[in-house]
Amino acid sequence: MGKIIAIANQKGGVGKTTTSVNLAASLGVLEKKVLLIDADPQANASSGLGIDVDTVEIGSYQVVEHSAKAKDAIVASNAPNVDVIPAHIDLVAIEIELVDKEAREYMLKKAIEDLKSDYDYILIDCAPSLGLLTLNALTAANSVIIPIQCEYFALEGLGKLLNTIKSVQKIHNEALDIEGMLLTMFDSRLRLSNQVVEEVQKHFNEMVFETIIQRNVRLGEAPSFGESIINYDVSSKGAANYLSLAKELIKKNEL
């Protein structure tokens, strides 16, 4: 039975999509079968794995509104063992369309229920908001990974996200777990980066992944080539970091 993990933080630019794409690719290289669901209208996770988003006819929009089966939306990516349900800009409209639907928070959960047996991991790349789309992802997920960038204001908005997770646990999905907090964009030369790491580890100790994602030029370049860091430069620091995260995740889930 596959594990569904949402990658969420309503703050933009914290490394959600970078993590979704590269964690998926790293798990794939470690011979896990992975499905990445792009639930962000910007569709960067789709293009980051080599999918031309302009040609997407069936994607996460159709899956969430139940006008197409999830199985029909799946496409192979350029990363081994990784499939994608891509997004398209039309996903922007979903929030408005779901408003008066019954059980609107459960649309994604229902749609992907029968995919769990086909994959080891299903990752959901969430939009940078706490709207209905993210709520659907949290309701469908077994756990959530929260990327936190090692910069000023890192913890700003985190309380809001944790409150949202709490209310999802209370009302829609009591089994939702926090998989871990992931420190991203770490620069060891900056005192601030080190302070953020200390503060997050002090506050959330066991909940923080041991792996820290360091700032890495190659990591920033890879998406413009439509490739994960594993495909683009497997010898880079970024690739080493994400492979380490994937191993940590597998170990944690197989204990």
Side-chain angles (χ1 to χ4, degrees):
M1 221 29 177
K3 182 166 198 183
I4 303 175
I5 302 175
I7 294 161
N9 189 332
Q10 79 275 24
K11 229 166 154 321
V14 297
K16 272 190 303 291
T17 301
T18 303
T19 295
S20 302
V21 166
N22 295 309
L23 176 57
S26 300
L27 288 165
V29 163
L30 297 169
E31 294 179 352
K32 297 294 174 190
K33 207 159 166 9
V34 184
L35 174 66
L36 175 59
I37 300 173
D38 195 345
D40 181 351
Q42 294 174 68
N44 292 337
S46 307
S47 57
L49 283 170
I51 290 154
D52 179 359
V53 293
D54 295 327
T55 62
V56 171
E57 283 174 20
I58 304 176
S60 45
Y61 172 76
Q62 287 78 11
V63 171
V64 174
E65 64 150 21
H66 293 190
S67 65
K69 282 197 155 58
K71 275 194 164 70
D72 298 332
I74 293 171
V75 291
S77 77
N78 58 16
N81 295 322
V82 180
D83 290 339
V84 180
I85 292 182
H88 185 274
I89 190 67
D90 57 10
L91 191 58
V92 165
I94 203 83
E95 302 265 338
I96 299 155
E97 287 173 27
L98 288 182
V99 162
D100 51 5
K101 284 253 201 315
E102 209 176 310
R104 57 186 184 210
E105 296 90 353
Y106 299 90
M107 300 292 275
L108 181 61
K109 185 183 173 75
K110 283 184 194 141
I112 63 174
E113 201 58 55
D114 57 347
L115 295 180
K116 282 170 87 166
S117 53
D118 299 342
Y119 294 94
D120 297 308
Y121 291 95
I122 297 176
L123 304 180
I124 308 172
D125 183 33
C126 295
S129 76
L130 289 177
L132 259 178
L133 256 180
T134 300
L135 204 53
N136 261 272
L138 294 174
T139 302
N142 302 116
S143 66
V144 54
I145 289 176
I146 304 169
I148 299 172
Q149 88 281 39
C150 298
E151 287 174 5
Y152 202 64
F153 294 136
L155 300 176
E156 192 193 39
L158 193 57
K160 208 173 181 180
L161 176 62
L162 293 172
N163 284 338
T164 300
I165 291 169
K166 257 194 205 118
S167 68
V168 170
Q169 286 166 330
K170 213 183 295 180
I171 305 163
H172 307 296
N173 180 4
E174 54 184 35
L176 181 66
D177 213 359
I178 293 179
E179 190 71 45
M181 299 187 175
L182 177 68
L183 291 156
T184 63
M185 304 178 194
F186 175 75
D187 186 339
S188 57
R189 297 165 304 183
L190 300 179
R191 207 169 93 215
L192 180 64
S193 266
N194 291 293
Q195 281 171 341
V196 172
V197 170
E198 267 172 46
E199 201 168 326
V200 173
Q201 286 173 339
K202 191 175 78 192
H203 270 299
F204 300 104
N205 41 46
E206 294 295 295
M207 285 159 71
V208 187
F209 282 107
E210 280 174 31
T211 303
I212 294 176
I213 310 298
Q214 294 166 308
R215 267 199 186 283
N216 180 241
V217 175
R218 307 297 275 172
L219 214 44
E221 290 170 355
S224 57
F225 293 90
E227 291 188 339
S228 73
I229 191 65
I230 307 296
N231 276 16
Y232 182 63
D233 185 358
V234 76
S235 64
S236 66
K237 202 186 285 178
N241 288 167
Y242 277 107
L243 279 165
S244 160
L245 175 66
K247 285 174 186 159
E248 193 177 337
L249 185 70
I250 292 167
K251 189 177 165 192
K252 189 176 171 184
N253 283 289
E254 287 179 359
L255 277 178

